[in-house]
Amino acid sequence: MALSGGADRGSHSMDKSITLPPDEIFRNLENAKRFAIDIGGSLTKLAYYSTVQHKVAKVRSFDHSAKETDGDPLYEISVQEEITARLHFIKFENAYIETCLDFIKDHLVNTETKVIKATGGGAYKFKDLIEKKLKLKVDKEDEMTCLIKGCNFVLKNIPHEAFVYAKHADSEFRFQNTHPDIFPYLLINIGSGVSIVKVESEDKFERIGGSSIGGGTFWGLGALLTKTKRFDELLQLASKGQHTNVDMLVKDIYGGAYGSLGLTGDLIASSFGKSATTDKEFSKEDMAKSLLHMISNDIGQLACLYAKLHNLTRVYFGGFFIRGHPVTMHTITYSINFFTKGEVQALFLRHEGYLGAIGAFLKGAEEDNPNQYSWGENYAGSSGLMSVSPDLNPVQRARSGTFSFDMLEMDRLERQLVNLPLLQDPTSYIPDTVDLTEDALAREYWLFCFEEALDGVVKRAVASQKDQPEAVERAEKFRQKYRHKLQTLRHQPFAYGSLTVRSLLDTREHCLNEFNFPDPYSKIKQKENDMALKYYLKVVKSVEELSWEQRQFTLVKGLLAGNVFDWGAKAVSDVLESDPDFGFEQAKQQLQERPWLVDAYNQWIERMKGPPHKCALFFVDNSGIDIILGVFPFIRELLIRGTEVVLASNSGPALNDVTNSELQILTERIAAMDPVIQ
């Protein structure tokens, strides 16, 4: 769709005609219901609920009560249609609002929707336009209530929603682990002024303070000082300025530090202090930087005082003053660190711009009770956190045709997610071994691996739906989408929170689902499981004949060898493609000699000589040889010792990993052959 509307912003008349495919932005409008809108000073955020129909691969056990025949597969695979709920949030400039409303009006099929929930300062201004265009009644919701509701929702549902900003670190964004209990916290909302809100539970919050010196002050005074009317341009000036040319420092007064009061020489003694005693002209950049420091320090000190007064350690910052701008996040972070001596961290939110729209939507959807479900970010349809680099002039950005339509999509999950109750401390548990956001070398390695494997995945996807002629076209669209995601992550590794191998796999599965490839490896997994089962009793028998010490070593080697059968590794998939009979014994022979890269075998053996473990939680991986000939003989040994064993597997597919429904069938089948498992 061509969006046009030449809104004159200050001195810049921008050409707003941008060609974008509408189904890429306002997706699933034909099934949309429950609308909400949050209109700020410059940005509009739209929210709606839709239902999505997609394919899922289901497995069902065959009846094995009859006499076994060798050629019978263990289970059958069927592909079924399933309908799931999805939340859509779209952010765009107010200049586009009329064109967007026209597009929605033309594509809105669902006529049950009678009301649109609205919040934000612009809701009143655009009320008539919305009612006229969409024929929906505008129902205004309280801005602060919406903000808090939205904040609670993202903190509960999106892992790595909150982050600490560290300007000079290897990774600017340090994402925080999701805390099982998000309350209490302090929200500092910096709009035109500042509101300081203490949030104690889902429905209990109060505004405990605030200030008239906020984003509007920076914008207003900045405009008077620099004659620059645009907020983003002011920030750009500030990012290039040197505040010490305008501010009076402690050393300017005392010739150095003021030791007895513990003040360093570089500390600001007086904002704009030099302008009163110097005749020279100051640059716009320096004045903008000084102003930014002055307002950020003021807000930072207020935030710290309120946090101390109410004994709160979690302090989140939001509002248009922040909006993901590195310059403002850095000055706020510096200020909080200084005033609390590092005891309190300034926390920012990845989806901070959407809080009002999410809250307004939740208010309108209360009868559907969205809070009783867990929701997961759909990486295929979300644009992720983009760096708002001050070096990139917003005017140029608009002209280059990339002015942002920002999107967030969330899918309702089958089950409500809870923290694993067996964990001693859920907050300190990190399931990923490497954080690719911070490790640049590992990041490049893994992104290269995923790019290299892409052809193989496309080939598998097509092969999994041979009977469908349009599968080739869908697989090609998947390739383009996933490659684009990988390119984005190369430049913006923080787009979806901490970048890990797991999140790269999740992104790939989301993109495969998007184009209706629910489980491209299902037939391979089925074949590998059927083959490995034939050898299970033979492997168990050969292990039982060994001495205790030899048996332990063989079982551990079996685990390592099983892990070789992972279609995610290109070298492995090449071998498995060319030699399907490549087997367990060959894999064991090809293992390197000890010491291994990570080797705790000696400690393990010492522990195994002691009393049995009470309980073992085992996270399984690949289908076939890995689970059947590697994992089961190993856990069998634990069971014989009297240890309770819990097997944990993925709820959904990822390459040839065994899924929970497949694992249940496998376990029943092995139990029928082996009294220890039974």
Side-chain angles (χ1 to χ4, degrees):
M1 82 181 158
L3 297 172
S4 63
D8 185 51
R9 294 288 185 81
S11 58
H12 294 281
S13 179
M14 290 199 281
D15 171 25
K16 283 279 168 59
S17 53
I18 298 175
T19 307
L20 288 162
D23 53 351
E24 283 291 312
I25 300 169
F26 300 102
R27 289 155 38 104
N28 294 43
L29 262 182
E30 64 281 6
N31 302 321
K33 61 174 189 172
R34 303 214 184 290
F35 280 83
I37 197 161
D38 171 18
I39 308 175
S42 56
L43 292 172
T44 295
K45 284 76 69 177
L46 180 76
Y48 59 93
Y49 167 102
S50 79
T51 48
V52 186
Q53 189 165 2
H54 60 93
K55 291 183 165 63
V56 285
K58 298 274 187 190
V59 294
R60 197 168 64 94
S61 181
F62 281 119
D63 178 17
H64 285 282
S65 52
K67 192 174 182 308
E68 290 297 325
T69 59
D70 265 2
D72 270 5
L74 176 64
Y75 54 80
E76 62 175 330
I77 306 160
S78 63
V79 173
Q80 296 168 13
E81 293 287 339
E82 205 167 78
I83 291 174
T84 51
R86 179 172 286 174
L87 304 181
H88 302 256
F89 304 99
I90 300 146
K91 185 162 63 180
F92 51 87
E93 281 192 67
N94 289 355
Y96 295 136
I97 193 163
E98 205 162 334
T99 322
C100 290
L101 291 174
D102 279 336
F103 182 80
I104 293 163
K105 180 189 72 181
D106 294 343
H107 292 78
L108 197 56
V109 181
N110 188 337
T111 49
E112 289 167 39
T113 308
K114 305 285 184 230
V115 173
I116 181 165
K117 292 284 182 184
T119 187
Y124 179 75
K125 182 181 165 189
F126 289 100
K127 179 178 183 286
D128 293 344
L129 179 72
I130 296 166
E131 291 191 335
K132 189 180 117 203
K133 294 272 185 196
L134 297 186
K135 307 282 187 284
L136 298 175
K137 179 180 171 289
V138 171
D139 192 355
K140 202 159 170 355
E141 290 291 343
D142 174 66
E143 198 168 348
M144 193 53 75
T145 307
C146 292
L147 199 67
I148 303 299
K149 264 193 175 305
C151 195
N152 295 341
F153 183 83
V154 295
L155 287 172
K156 274 195 321 209
N157 285 287
I158 303 185
H160 302 154
E161 173 60 30
F163 62 89
V164 170
Y165 184 74
K167 187 181 178 183
H168 301 297
D170 285 343
S171 166
E172 294 169 80
F173 299 84
R174 295 218 176 117
F175 294 95
Q176 306 297 293
N177 258 4
T178 311
H179 201 282
D181 187 11
I182 62 170
F183 306 109
Y185 65 85
L186 204 59
L187 179 65
I188 316 289
N189 192 49
I190 315 168
S192 301
V194 179
S195 283
I196 298 175
V197 186
K198 179 185 180 181
V199 186
E200 293 184 75
S201 70
E202 205 62 65
D203 302 302
K204 189 180 176 191
F205 66 87
E206 65 170 319
R207 185 183 187 276
I208 53 174
S211 167
S212 62
I213 299 169
T217 319
F218 173 68
W219 198 346
L221 276 178
L224 291 172
L225 289 166
T226 67
K227 305 288 179 276
T228 300
K229 293 280 189 222
R230 286 179 60 97
F231 184 76
D232 288 343
E233 278 179 36
L234 258 179
L235 283 179
Q236 202 187 349
L237 287 175
S239 70
K240 293 175 178 167
Q242 196 59 313
H243 76 98
T244 51
N245 293 335
V246 186
D247 293 344
M248 193 174 281
L249 308 182
V250 168
K251 65 183 176 191
D252 295 325
I253 303 172
Y254 298 106
Y258 194 146
S260 61
L261 290 182
L263 303 175
T264 64
D266 289 327
L267 211 59
I268 300 172
S270 171
S271 294
F272 287 93
K274 285 181 183 167
S275 57
T277 56
T278 314
D279 286 335
K280 68 169 192 168
E281 285 282 309
F282 294 101
S283 76
K284 289 179 179 184
E285 288 82 359
D286 293 348
M287 288 191 290
K289 185 59 164 270
S290 173
L291 184 62
L292 182 68
H293 275 292
M294 181 176 92
I295 286 164
S296 298
N297 287 339
D298 189 53
I299 295 169
Q301 186 161 29
L302 262 183
C304 295
L305 292 170
Y306 278 105
K308 276 189 173 156
L309 195 61
H310 292 268
N311 201 18
L312 295 169
T313 51
R314 276 177 282 188
V315 183
Y316 298 103
F317 287 84
F320 89 82
F321 183 68
I322 303 291
R323 225 168 72 193
H325 283 290
V327 201
T328 52
M329 290 194 298
H330 175 61
T331 49
I332 290 280
T333 300
Y334 178 85
S335 168
I336 291 280
N337 276 344
F338 176 79
F339 289 117
T340 67
K341 298 184 170 62
E343 283 174 26
V344 175
Q345 287 185 313
L347 295 166
F348 304 96
L349 299 170
R350 244 182 348 119
H351 297 101
E352 180 272 318
Y354 289 112
L355 304 185
I358 292 172
F361 171 81
L362 292 172
K363 285 288 285 179
E366 276 170 349
E367 64 195 65
D368 292 336
N369 202 356
N371 269 328
Q372 73 179 356
Y373 304 105
S374 289
W375 300 80
E377 186 171 1
N378 171 27
Y379 298 142
S382 297
S383 36
L385 180 70
M386 295 294 137
S387 178
V388 189
S389 171
D391 309 326
L392 195 55
N393 184 313
V395 180
Q396 289 171 342
R397 263 218 320 263
R399 294 215 174 112
S400 69
T402 58
F403 214 92
S404 76
F405 267 76
D406 199 59
M407 291 171 292
L408 164 64
E409 285 185 1
M410 298 188 75
D411 287 338
R412 192 168 82 196
L413 306 178
E414 276 177 64
R415 303 174 187 81
Q416 191 155 19
L417 295 184
V418 295
N419 278 282
L420 180 64
L422 298 177
L423 285 173
Q424 212 163 12
D425 175 19
T427 47
S428 63
Y429 174 69
I430 299 167
D432 305 289
T433 41
V434 191
D435 184 343
L436 304 179
T437 329
E438 296 195 2
D439 189 333
L441 209 65
R443 177 168 72 241
E444 197 36 60
Y445 168 79
W446 279 105
L447 286 169
F448 176 74
C449 284
F450 276 86
E451 277 173 353
E452 280 285 280
L454 192 49
D455 286 346
V457 178
V458 169
K459 198 169 123 190
R460 279 286 136 225
V462 174
S464 72
Q465 297 182 6
K466 281 199 197 79
D467 53 335
Q468 298 185 25
E470 87 298 348
V472 175
E473 188 189 336
R474 279 187 286 118
E476 199 42 54
K477 283 182 178 170
F478 154 73
R479 182 206 304 272
Q480 286 165 12
K481 181 138 208 171
Y482 189 58
R483 180 170 284 145
H484 174 66
K485 292 283 174 195
L486 291 174
Q487 284 163 355
T488 301
L489 289 166
R490 185 166 262 124
H491 301 296
Q492 319 258 16
F494 44 78
Y496 300 110
S498 285
L499 183 65
T500 62
V501 177
R502 184 166 55 106
S503 69
L504 286 169
L505 282 166
D506 280 344
T507 307
R508 179 160 69 190
E509 290 306 320
H510 292 182
C511 292
L512 280 165
N513 273 323
E514 193 68 25
F515 298 104
N516 264 326
F517 294 107
D519 189 355
Y521 287 81
S522 56
K523 297 215 168 64
I524 288 183
K525 290 189 286 183
Q526 183 187 34
K527 197 171 137 197
E528 288 179 340
N529 288 331
D530 288 338
M531 188 184 77
L533 271 172
K534 293 177 184 156
Y535 296 98
Y536 174 74
L537 289 174
K538 186 180 163 193
V539 168
V540 167
K541 189 170 180 289
S542 68
V543 166
E544 281 178 331
E545 287 166 357
L546 300 170
S547 68
W548 186 86
E549 194 91 38
Q550 274 183 312
R551 186 162 78 245
Q552 304 315 312
F553 189 57
T554 303
L555 288 168
V556 169
K557 269 173 64 177
L559 276 186
L560 295 177
N563 208 42
V564 163
F565 294 84
D566 187 329
W567 283 79
K570 190 164 179 346
V572 173
S573 57
D574 288 348
V575 170
L576 298 178
E577 285 276 15
S578 58
D579 181 10
D581 295 329
F582 178 81
F584 189 47
E585 289 309 314
Q586 284 161 287
K588 278 201 289 197
Q589 283 158 23
Q590 288 187 16
L591 282 182
Q592 66 185 76
E593 293 297 309
R594 287 190 62 208
W596 298 312
L597 181 63
V598 178
D599 193 330
Y601 181 73
N602 294 346
Q603 294 94 303
W604 171 251
I605 282 299
E606 280 314 303
R607 176 62 190 84
M608 285 292 276
K609 286 175 182 168
H613 301 84
K614 191 174 155 197
C615 176
L617 174 60
F618 200 109
F619 291 87
V620 304
D621 191 11
N622 309 297
S623 296
I625 287 176
D626 186 7
I627 178 77
I628 295 167
L629 306 184
V631 172
F632 267 99
F634 182 86
I635 61 163
R636 188 178 187 276
E637 183 77 7
L638 296 177
L639 291 167
I640 290 168
R641 284 165 55 84
T643 298
E644 183 194 345
V645 175
V646 180
L647 295 181
S649 57
N650 298 346
S651 51
L655 292 166
N656 67 323
D657 285 7
V658 64
T659 61
N660 197 262
S661 49
E662 292 160 351
L663 182 61
Q664 288 182 36
I665 295 170
L666 279 179
T667 310
E668 283 167 15
R669 182 71 190 87
I670 291 174
M673 300 155 68
D674 182 348
V676 174
I677 302 294
Q678 182 71 58

